[in-house]
Structure formats: C-alpha cells, structure tokens
Amino acid sequence: MIITSYKKVNEYLLLNTDCGKIRLIPYTDSIVRITYSREKHFSPKDSLMIIWKEDTCANWSLKESHDKICFVTKALQIDINKHTGAFTYYDSLGNLLTKEPAHGGKSLESIDVVKTVFDESTQIRATQSVDGIRSNATDYKKIIDRKAYHTKLEFIWEDGEAIYGLGSHEEGVMNLRGHHQYLYQQNMKSVVPMLVSTKGYGILVDSYSLMTFHDDMYGSYVWTDVEDEMDYYFIYGPEFDEIINGYRKLTGKTPMLPRWAYGYVQSKERYKTQEELVSIVKEYRKRKIPLDLIVLDWRSWIDRQWGQKSFDPERFPDPNEMMNQLHDMNTKLMVSIWPIMASGCNNHSEMSSKGFLLGNQANYNAFDEKARKLYWNQANDGIFSHGTDAWWCDCTEPFEADWKGELKPEPEERMNINTQEAKKYLDPEYINAYSLLHCKGIYEGQRNTTDHKRVVNLTRSAYAGQHRYAAITWSGDIAASWDTLRKQIPAGLNFCVTGEPYWTLDIGAFFVGGKSKWCRWCDDKNIPAPWFLAGEYDDGCNDLGYRELYVRWFQYGAFLPMFRSHGTDTPREIWQFGEPASIFYDTLVKFDNFRYRLMPYIYSLAGKVTFENYTIMRSLPFDFRYDNNVYNIADQFMFGPSIMINPITKPMYYGKNSKKLSGIKKIRKVYLPRGYDWYDFWTGKQYQGGQIIESKATLDIMPIYIRAGSIIPMGPVVQYTDEQLDAPIELRIYTGSESCFTIYEDEGDNYNYENGSYSLINLKWLDDNRTLIIGNREGSYKGMSSYRQFKIVIVSKGHGTGIDKQINADKIINYDGNEIQVTF
C-alpha cells in the first residue's frame, strides 16, 4: 500500500492510497478511530456498538518527513509509512506502543455475500433438544446479495507484552499471546471484540461478523469475515481503567443495577410451581440464610408452548399473589424468557402475523425495532405486569447447531457448523450482534414502562456496548469438574477487561452428572449421550467430592459481580449440602454472610462502575501493570481496589464418589504483587509484596489478601440487601500507605440517581499522621438517614480479621454529614 496523497478534511486526516483510502478521526486525545475503505465513499451505516455523540474532535497536528506522515495528538503519535502504509503507535513521550508489520498491516479482500431466501417451498422442522426447542428450515435458496470484504488487521507485538480480552470463552486462556480464538456467539462463548495490552492501549474492532484472533504460526492479527470496510478504535490509557474509560465513552455508560442484584441469587433447573418457589424462599428465611433473588428457569409457560411469555395457570395459578408473597419476604423474582417461540402459542402467532420472525419461523427478528417493541409488549403483558423484577434472556446466540453428537467437534468444525447456521437466518455481517439488539429491546421497553424498577437482564451471550442495557452475562452451560472451575476464572477476567463489567457463572456448573444422566433427557437409549454431558459427579450433592467442589466454587462466586448458583442434575439450595454444624453447610453460610457484610463496599463499587466507568472484577494488570510477574496469573484477581481473591481449584479432601484423599496439604501458593504490603484477611498478618507465599486453604478458608493502604466498609450480616440500612458501618483500615474510599448510597431500585438522588461520603486515611478524614456528605436521596455511626477498626494481627464484627472497635464515630477528622 502506497500513500499517494493526504489532506485534512474537516476534523480528520484522509490518506489516499493506491488501494483505497484511510481516515483517522481523533475522538479524544487518547482515542483515534481508523477506517480503511476501498469504496468511493466511507460506509454511512450507523454503528450498533458505538454511540459517541460529540460534535467536535480533539485537536491534532501533522508532521511529515521524506518517508512518513506523523499524526499527533496530546497523548498519541501515529507514524504512517508513505511507502507501505504501515502504522506505528507511540505515546506522547515517544515510547513505542505497538506497530504493524513493515509491509503494512491492513488488507481488504473482496467477497460475495450470500443471502438465504425463504419462500413457500421452505419446510420448517421443529425438534426438542437438551437446550430447548429448535426450529430448522430446509429447501431454501441462496443468492448473492452484494459485495463486501474480508478484513485483516496485523500487528507486531513486543516480547513480554501481554494481551487480554475478546470476551468469555470456555478454553480458559488468560494471556492471549501465543494463542488463537474464534469469535462467534455460542453456548459457552460470549464475544466482545476488544483487546487490551499491558503496553497501555486497547483496540476495539467495530465488526459484528465472524472474527478470528491469531498470535501463532500464521501471524498476529484480527480477521473479520464480512465488512463494508475496516473500522477500529485505538484507545490509549495507559492504565487499564483509563482504557476502559475510553471504551465506555465510545459505547455508553453502564446503568446502576438495583442493590438487590448484588445479593445472593438462588436458581436451579428448575422450580416447577408457584408453591415450590415460595417454599424455597420461606426455608431461606426460616434458616436465616441471606437471599435476595430467586429464579424461575424455563417452562414457566404451558407445556408445548415453548417461549410463550406467560405463566402456566395450572402450576402458577395466581402470579400476582406469588409476587406479593415473595415481595413480603423481601425477595425478588427473575424469569427466563427465550427469543424462540413454538408454533401455536399466542406470542408466536402474533409475531408471525406481523412478519417479525426470522427464516426458521421461530426466532423473532431482534434487528427490527417494531419486532423488539412487540417482544417487550408480550413480556410485559404476560410476566412483568404481575410484578416480576428481572429477566433471564436465555439462548440469545440464538442459533446453536453443535449442541448434539457423541463427540465434541473440533474447534474449526464447531466454528463452521455454528456460523453457517447463524448465516442461514441472519445477515452474515451481523451474526454476532443478535444479543446486543435483544438486550436493547428489553432495556428500552422496561425503561419506557416504568422508572421504579431498574432493569436487570441476565443473558448467555454479549457484545460490545451491551452493558448500557443493564446486561449481565453468564458463561453458559458448563460441566462440573475442577478443570472447568480453573478455566472459568480467566474466562471471566478476560470478559471484564473488555469493558463489559458484569459477568457471572453457574456456581457448581450446570451439568453436574455425566453421560449416565442421558436417560433424563432422552427416552431412546440407542441415541448416544451428547458430548456436553461432561459433569463428573453422577450422585450430585450426595457425593462428598462434589460438595467440596461446590463449596470452592461458591467461595469464588461470592466475589463475582453477580453471586448466583444454578444448574441441573442436583438440587442447589444450601441445605442440600449438609445441615448446621457440618463443614459444607457452615462454610456456604459463612461466605453468603461475607458477601452481605461487604455490601457497602460492593454497592459503592457499583456506583463507580456507573459514574466513573470502573471495573469490579479486575485481572491483576488493572492495578499492577508495572509488575510483569502478574501477566500470566490466571487464578488470582482483585475484587475492587483492595481485596485480592485466590480461589482454590484443586481437591484437597475428596475425589469423585466420595473417595477420601490423603496426604494433600491444605494450602495454595499466592503471589503478592510488588509495590505494596499485604494483609491476610483471616489473620491480619502482614506480608511484603513481590513474593510467593503458601497460604492456608482449609475447606472453610479461601485465601484472601488486602492491599495495604485500603479502607473497606463492612455492614452487618443481613437477610437481604435492604435490611437495616441504618446499622453501623465498620470501617476496616489497612495501614501502610495513604488511602481513600467513597461510600455511595441511593434509593436502591429506581432511576432517581440519574437526577442526582444519591449521596457520597469520601473517606481518606493519612498514613503518616494516622488520621482518618470522613468528609462532608455530598448529595442526598429520599429516605436517607441524617446520621451514620462508624466503627473504626485499625487492622492488625488478630484484630479486625475474618468476617465477624470486631467487638472492640478502636473508635466509634457518630457522623451527621459534616466532616470529621480522627487521629489514632
């Protein structure tokens, strides 16, 4: 590629080349949009992920030498080789960030886009699978619809540079260097086309087609399948929080979830009746085990009316009364809804009559605004109008073609099977975007219906920008094994590093048993059990090996953005794993209580997500990018700025079938990032950073370390998140450096915060003179208490440790909203 000419056009740089043109638009000093086209005009299509609305761009300047053009902002410099078109990216100090190969790193390959045509000869065949009803079209035609391009964007990454992102994938790769990844939506795959580098930059690719990432023998590049042009954003940080801030400037703010969404969520496949749902909540309240949300999984509808968004009147005879009972017990309800509908149900008939179904005559067309509005109206009339609180948008891929067969297809084969199925019904340019538009419809529908309930939408797939629709993504139908637990940790970390803040999983895995469980899914024993029935515990919660795995999974899950148990094969309620005084039961209750004690900390972090574009679940490079020892750590992470979580990912007590293990030390190795001292949360003992230590890991303990220079607000153990909001807050101060924390509070479940109805209390610890400053309260909201009692605990060995309240606080402060300074 040879640069033939260049010029400033309005606020951007236009490069003309011998094979197309390139446009550089500086959205900010740190964000540059780069578009490469071989057409006469750049594409006029609106982006689905980007909602940037600024009229003006950042200032920039141009420098030129005999062989290069330099595009310069206050934060970035991009050198463009005149002879090859290769880009090299620098920060403002001239430090190399990344570069394209010397021959140039951008290419567009012309292709024909094939479209499926369905007509009166098309046949529709509906089948029932483990993952719900599926509808498949046959006898269709294919035509060439238009011309488009494959794109390829190449890089030369530095030795020692780590790359993260691309969403949540079952393989469990942390650092993407030396790997490849296929990016298409599928059960156990959630795509976000965002890369983040430890060199201090991010790359967001504005594409919705099949993509592949490579850093292997074939090169280092991102390839996309169907595009009008190449379109991507280079985002400079250099810190990860700054990169994510840039991402959300482009893709939108994250709305507040209700406070109850951060409490414990009890789910399973499935609660079958109104009576059963209510009885489970009653048992939680009777046992005084904290709970905020219970979930009604699939088949709330009448039998054989798959996807109908209403309650079966036989099993749920009085939904209004059911909701009254649950709300009286201070519990919310989430209901599963599907984008696919069985022929014959009212929702399907209405969608079909208006032409709002895709070619399989089962999935509604989420790309059509009118179809989205009708889908919401159906959900509102049949479910939300009864007082339900949250959505579980299952199967939002929405075409799943490999969820069958005895052997798991090879990765390339899976990619081909699933993407070809998606392309049959969706434009190949947009096969990754269904979930994004589906979430948009739910969010906008509920927001237009009421401002009194915040939207909560749990979804099985994701895309860039989905966070702005109050979406939480879970990792799909995983199988119970220690290997799966290990792989889920980097899967979640890579999802959150993309800028999508809310991720969760099925605590204990969805499939607990293995192929011997096939009989519960299929009456025909001649059909081989499918590959995904790969759980290792056929006896479920009766197997002590599974109980140990579940407890470790639960400990980890207590520090995810959403704390949620779900799965099939075996019950999931806490008392199914033992009774009081048993190690399993007591440990589960202990970590449930721990989650609720941390609610002032967690909800304040949620406020930072919304107002400051923060990330709660943080891979270690978020906070310790300067320490290259953390780059490949896949099983430790920060929960907010202060708490380092170190899950246990191997058995220590029991194997499968309750086989007792012996000779295994109850410890795990933990790396403490350098630059800080660290406190053992359970003992208060201090350690210097920059070393690997052996940490106690008995079944009731997951190693947790607190960064020196932290303030952690802890509330009482409550039964639901809105209980005893005026109870004292224990402020645990981990000395060692200056620190600060802001307590965020609001009404909890409406959108009044958007109009300023919230409060902030800024806390600051001055380590040199051992002084705590509790600042003037900023703002107010309806129902806010004028007074607050703080119990101050200066943590030391054996003092202010574990989850129990510290009986003897170092000082007790009655706070009336005016600044207080206290010296210790």
Side-chain angles (χ1 to χ4, degrees):
M1 179 188 293
I2 299 172
I3 309 298
T4 57
S5 66
Y6 63 90
K7 62 180 177 179
K8 184 173 184 179
V9 179
N10 297 323
E11 295 180 323
Y12 63 85
L13 173 63
L14 179 65
L15 305 171
N16 293 305
T17 81
D18 61 348
C19 51
K21 54 190 177 183
I22 301 173
R23 179 179 59 188
L24 289 81
I25 307 176
Y27 277 38
T28 71
D29 293 333
S30 301
I31 303 173
V32 179
R33 179 185 181 186
I34 300 164
T35 313
Y36 170 38
S37 176
R38 292 180 62 180
E39 299 298 317
K40 184 177 180 180
H41 301 287
F42 290 105
S43 174
K45 292 179 182 176
D46 290 334
S47 172
L48 299 180
M49 70 172 67
I50 306 297
I51 60 170
W52 179 273
K53 297 297 183 185
E54 295 295 329
D55 294 329
T56 59
C57 294
N59 292 326
W60 58 279
S61 61
L62 209 57
K63 300 177 184 178
E64 184 181 9
S65 67
H66 72 282
D67 62 348
K68 65 182 178 182
I69 303 164
C70 302
F71 178 90
V72 183
T73 72
K74 287 182 180 179
L76 284 172
Q77 176 172 316
I78 304 175
D79 288 0
I80 304 157
N81 188 303
K82 290 182 178 180
H83 306 297
T84 67
F87 281 28
T88 304
Y89 302 83
Y90 299 93
D91 67 16
S92 61
L93 299 176
N95 298 309
L96 175 67
L97 298 174
T98 191
K99 61 184 178 181
E100 297 173 357
H103 63 261
K106 303 176 185 69
S107 58
L108 299 176
E109 178 187 354
S110 180
I111 60 167
D112 292 328
V113 180
V114 176
K115 176 182 177 181
T116 310
V117 177
F118 303 97
D119 56 25
E120 62 278 357
S121 65
T122 300
Q123 300 294 313
I124 305 296
R125 179 174 178 265
T127 58
Q128 177 74 42
S129 75
V130 173
D131 198 32
I133 194 172
R134 288 293 180 271
S135 189
N136 187 47
T138 60
D139 298 323
Y140 48 83
K141 301 178 180 129
K142 287 187 175 288
I143 62 170
I144 295 176
D145 184 56
R146 63 189 186 276
K147 296 286 186 180
Y149 299 91
H150 296 323
T151 81
K152 187 175 183 180
L153 178 60
E154 300 178 74
F155 294 95
I156 296 179
W157 288 307
E158 295 288 294
D159 291 341
E161 178 181 4
I163 303 287
Y164 310 104
L166 299 182
S168 172
H169 301 271
E170 64 178 301
E171 296 83 8
V173 174
M174 185 67 200
N175 182 355
L176 297 171
R177 294 298 306 276
H179 295 277
H180 65 267
Q181 186 59 267
Y182 303 112
L183 304 180
Y184 61 93
Q185 305 287 12
Q186 197 46 236
N187 197 333
M188 301 187 290
K189 290 181 77 68
S190 295
V191 177
V192 186
M194 172 77 167
L195 295 170
V196 176
S197 166
T198 53
K199 294 283 286 185
Y201 65 89
I203 296 168
L204 174 62
V205 181
D206 194 345
S207 168
Y208 312 91
S209 70
L210 166 66
M211 305 171 65
T212 62
F213 166 87
H214 288 267
D215 186 39
D216 53 24
M217 68 183 74
Y218 300 109
S220 301
Y221 61 91
V222 175
W223 177 90
T224 72
D225 186 29
V226 181
E227 312 292 345
D228 293 333
E229 60 195 11
M230 177 184 290
D231 196 2
Y232 68 98
Y233 295 79
F234 190 89
I235 307 171
Y236 176 65
E239 300 307 327
F240 281 21
D241 280 317
E242 295 170 303
I243 298 169
I244 300 311
N245 182 62
Y247 170 86
R248 295 205 197 130
K249 281 184 177 179
L250 293 170
T251 59
K253 286 280 191 180
T254 307
M256 286 292 296
L257 301 181
R259 185 165 37 234
W260 55 258
Y262 301 95
Y264 176 56
V265 181
Q266 182 61 67
S267 180
K268 73 172 186 179
E269 196 274 317
R270 60 192 167 87
Y271 298 116
K272 297 180 179 180
T273 66
Q274 176 174 332
E275 181 182 10
E276 184 182 11
L277 265 176
V278 172
S279 69
I280 293 297
V281 176
K282 285 180 178 178
E283 186 67 17
Y284 268 95
R285 295 294 179 240
K286 176 183 175 182
R287 291 173 178 263
K288 297 189 181 303
I289 301 173
L291 173 73
D292 264 274
L293 177 65
I294 193 163
V295 181
L296 177 56
D297 198 355
W298 60 5
R299 295 185 182 178
S300 57
W301 49 78
I302 296 173
D303 191 31
R304 299 184 184 279
Q305 293 193 11
W306 195 281
Q308 171 72 16
K309 294 174 284 296
S310 59
F311 293 101
D312 179 350
E314 290 189 7
R315 293 180 294 113
F316 302 94
D318 193 340
N320 290 339
E321 175 59 21
M322 176 177 69
M323 292 314 306
N324 289 336
Q325 288 181 285
L326 292 176
H327 288 162
D328 286 345
M329 291 186 285
N330 297 288
T331 305
K332 312 299 183 184
L333 177 66
M334 172 183 282
V335 180
S336 169
I337 57 176
W338 288 58
I340 189 169
M341 289 157 270
S343 177
C345 73
N346 291 336
N347 285 176
H348 179 277
S349 298
E350 189 176 18
M351 283 283 181
S352 179
S353 68
K354 296 182 182 297
F356 290 162
L357 296 175
L358 295 173
N360 66 350
Q361 293 302 302
N363 289 83
Y364 91 103
N365 183 6
F367 293 87
D368 186 320
E369 183 179 5
K370 292 181 179 179
R372 294 197 300 270
K373 287 182 178 179
L374 176 58
Y375 188 90
W376 164 256
N377 289 336
Q378 293 175 344
N380 182 37
D381 291 345
I383 296 175
F384 192 65
S385 63
H386 294 290
T388 59
D389 305 285
W391 305 104
W392 181 359
C393 286
D394 206 341
C395 199
T396 49
E397 292 80 15
F399 302 105
E400 186 180 70
D402 70 337
W403 212 242
K404 59 188 177 183
E406 185 176 8
L407 299 177
K408 187 175 185 178
E410 289 299 301
E412 292 80 7
E413 185 183 2
R414 290 191 71 195
M415 176 182 68
N416 185 61
I417 291 171
N418 287 304
T419 58
Q420 290 304 314
E421 184 73 5
K423 289 178 183 180
K424 186 192 299 185
Y425 305 110
L426 300 176
D427 188 314
E429 188 175 346
Y430 292 99
I431 63 170
N432 275 332
Y434 188 95
S435 180
L436 177 64
L437 275 299
H438 187 41
C439 289
K440 176 183 172 73
I442 294 295
Y443 180 79
E444 292 180 347
Q446 184 172 324
R447 287 302 307 264
N448 290 330
T449 301
T450 179
D451 275 341
H452 298 300
K453 286 186 177 183
R454 295 178 190 168
V455 180
V456 175
N457 182 3
L458 181 66
T459 179
R460 198 167 72 184
S461 52
Y463 214 62
Q466 196 162 296
H467 62 278
R468 64 179 180 257
Y469 302 129
I472 307 160
T473 298
W474 100 96
S475 61
D477 297 340
I478 52 180
S481 71
W482 289 95
D483 184 57
T484 299
L485 173 56
R486 279 190 293 273
K487 290 176 178 178
Q488 287 291 288
I489 301 170
L493 294 175
N494 266 319
F495 184 87
C496 290
V497 81
T498 66
E500 296 295 308
Y502 289 120
W503 181 89
T504 188
L505 46 60
D506 294 348
I507 290 175
F510 183 76
F511 295 112
V512 175
K515 295 191 175 184
S516 65
K517 293 288 185 178
W518 181 229
C519 58
R520 76 177 289 262
W521 299 99
C522 180
D523 295 332
D524 188 348
K525 294 183 180 180
N526 295 317
I527 300 175
W531 59 266
F532 49 81
L533 291 182
E536 297 182 352
Y537 301 91
D538 287 349
D539 288 336
C541 60
N542 295 317
D543 188 330
L544 297 181
Y546 180 65
R547 291 191 181 191
E548 180 184 353
L549 173 62
Y550 187 85
V551 165
R552 295 305 197 186
W553 219 311
F554 194 90
Q555 290 170 339
Y556 161 58
F559 297 93
L560 296 179
M562 174 175 265
F563 179 28
R564 166 185 170 273
S565 173
H566 178 69
T568 190
D569 298 338
T570 193
R572 301 303 173 104
E573 300 80 27
I574 285 176
W575 54 88
Q576 305 289 352
F577 295 85
E579 288 294 338
S582 71
I583 186 64
F584 301 107
Y585 180 97
D586 287 354
T587 301
L588 293 173
V589 172
K590 173 182 176 178
F591 276 83
D592 193 9
N593 287 335
F594 192 2
R595 174 77 173 201
Y596 281 77
R597 283 222 66 198
L598 284 174
M599 202 53 62
Y601 177 80
I602 294 170
Y603 198 60
S604 296
L605 297 182
K608 283 174 68 69
V609 170
T610 294
F611 290 95
E612 301 177 28
N613 294 322
Y614 190 69
T615 301
I616 297 174
M617 185 180 179
R618 308 164 65 82
S619 56
L620 295 182
F622 263 98
D623 299 285
F624 313 105
R625 187 174 64 91
Y626 57 83
D627 185 351
N628 58 11
N629 292 312
V630 308
Y631 289 1
N632 294 299
I633 293 178
D635 60 351
Q636 299 177 215
F637 63 95
M638 296 298 293
F639 186 66
S642 302
I643 305 175
M644 186 168 68
I645 304 302
N646 309 278
I648 303 303
T649 59
K650 64 179 183 179
M652 297 178 178
Y653 294 85
Y654 296 97
K656 290 177 284 187
N657 301 314
S658 301
K659 181 181 179 181
K660 194 167 185 177
L661 305 178
S662 60
I664 298 177
K665 291 183 178 180
K666 310 306 188 287
I667 59 171
R668 77 148 280 175
K669 292 183 178 180
V670 172
Y671 177 71
L672 303 175
R674 61 181 171 86
Y676 293 88
D677 285 349
W678 294 85
Y679 289 78
D680 185 322
F681 173 79
W682 303 106
T683 68
K685 183 178 178 180
Q686 282 186 255
Y687 296 86
Q688 186 176 8
Q691 63 171 322
I692 296 173
I693 63 170
E694 289 188 342
S695 184
K696 179 182 177 181
T698 51
L699 188 60
D700 61 329
I701 296 291
M702 178 177 65
I704 296 173
Y705 289 86
I706 312 298
R707 178 163 47 173
S710 292
I711 303 172
I712 298 181
M714 298 179 71
V717 173
V718 293
Q719 297 307 296
Y720 50 94
T721 52
D722 283 341
E723 185 182 20
Q724 300 178 23
L725 292 180
D726 295 329
I729 289 181
E730 182 178 308
L731 295 181
R732 292 194 182 180
I733 299 175
Y734 296 81
T735 64
S737 67
E738 188 171 293
S739 58
C740 60
F741 190 85
T742 299
I743 296 176
Y744 172 87
E745 295 175 310
D746 64 17
E747 295 170 51
D749 193 7
N750 58 44
Y751 287 97
N752 291 340
Y753 73 87
E754 293 181 340
N755 300 315
S757 292
Y758 60 88
S759 74
L760 303 173
I761 302 174
N762 295 305
L763 311 172
K764 189 170 186 178
W765 171 256
L766 303 177
D767 204 61
D768 289 344
N769 58 11
R770 294 178 65 81
T771 297
L772 174 67
I773 302 173
I774 304 177
N776 293 317
R777 181 191 282 120
E778 301 174 18
S780 65
Y781 58 91
K782 184 179 179 180
M784 184 184 78
S785 175
S786 300
Y787 294 89
R788 170 77 72 197
Q789 187 176 82
F790 291 107
K791 295 186 175 182
I792 315 302
V793 178
I794 309 299
V795 176
S796 59
K797 191 172 183 179
H799 182 69
T801 61
I803 73 166
D804 293 334
K805 292 185 291 185
Q806 179 62 42
I807 301 300
N808 300 315
D810 293 287
K811 286 195 177 178
I812 297 177
I813 297 172
N814 293 312
Y815 174 72
D816 63 2
N818 294 308
E819 181 177 303
I820 296 177
Q821 296 191 22
V822 186
T823 300
F824 294 82

